Amino acid sequence: AGGHLSALLGVAGPDAGLEPESSDEKIDTSIQACVNFYGVTAFAGFSSKSAISRYRRNVMGSTPTEKPEEWKRMSPIDQVDAKDAPMLQIYASNDKLVSFKHAEIMKNKLDRHGVYNEYILLDGFGHQFNLQRWFKMKLPKFVRQRVFAFYDRCLKNMKPL
């Protein structure tokens, strides 16, 4: 759920209803940069054998047919607009839970809206990797370097709160 939630928060605006309740309206909750590790970006059009079926059962508590608006609201692909935070997506070619096609359709949508984004596809790796390794296989060093470079590009000139 981490990648999905990261992507969702990176693109969901105030109308999505995901903002925390606060009595201080001066608090800025906008996302400045988003890194999505193998997250579900679209709930429609993917096999019921994929991670989508787990969300249906465990997270959403309904099917897309029963509550289509709720599913659309929780689908990052349906929240993209030109004001979204820059996004880096990292997926694996051998992921059996969340297909790298999620990243490709998200990248296309971000590109169409002019949102800065980057995409890394790791060949030969599967789900649940981190910046160091996937099980006993070490991830290429360039992955960490790209993540840090992305954060530098997007966050370095920010003013502290």
Side-chain angles (χ1 to χ4, degrees):
H4 164 250
L5 295 174
S6 174
L8 182 61
L9 290 175
V11 297
D15 294 344
L18 301 174
E19 294 290 320
E21 289 184 24
S22 173
S23 58
D24 187 352
E25 293 185 20
K26 295 178 189 172
I27 296 174
D28 182 1
T29 60
S30 59
I31 304 298
Q32 303 302 313
C34 173
V35 176
N36 169 14
F37 281 87
Y38 44 80
V40 173
T41 62
F43 287 119
F46 286 91
S47 164
S48 63
K49 294 179 184 176
S50 70
I52 308 303
S53 63
R54 271 191 223 58
Y55 268 82
R56 189 174 292 144
R57 205 171 41 249
N58 300 330
V59 176
M60 297 300 290
S62 67
T63 66
T65 309
E66 293 167 340
K67 295 184 179 178
E69 287 307 310
E70 187 67 16
W71 278 76
K72 185 174 181 176
R73 187 172 75 94
M74 297 306 288
S75 208
I77 196 80
D78 292 318
Q79 301 295 327
V80 174
D81 66 34
K83 297 176 284 194
D84 292 334
M87 185 179 293
L88 169 61
Q89 299 186 98
I90 307 173
Y91 285 70
S93 64
N94 291 346
D95 192 330
K96 303 293 186 231
L97 295 176
V98 180
S99 169
F100 63 88
K101 299 289 184 189
H102 282 271
E104 292 177 351
I105 62 170
M106 188 67 162
K107 177 168 183 30
N108 289 336
K109 185 104 180 226
L110 292 165
D111 286 345
R112 283 196 313 271
H113 285 275
V115 177
Y116 179 78
N117 69 95
E118 298 178 22
Y119 169 43
I120 299 171
L121 179 61
L122 298 172
D123 191 34
F125 292 89
H127 200 73
Q128 292 184 325
F129 57 85
N130 60 36
L131 288 177
Q132 304 280 339
R133 57 181 65 250
W134 177 61
F135 294 97
K136 293 186 179 189
M137 289 176 59
K138 285 188 175 182
L139 256 63
K141 288 184 181 181
F142 82 87
V143 177
R144 284 180 59 141
Q145 294 166 345
R146 288 271 305 271
V147 170
F148 294 141
F150 175 79
Y151 279 136
D152 280 348
R153 184 176 302 111
C154 298
L155 302 177
K156 236 181 186 167
N157 295 320
M158 287 183 57
K159 296 177 187 174
L161 296 174

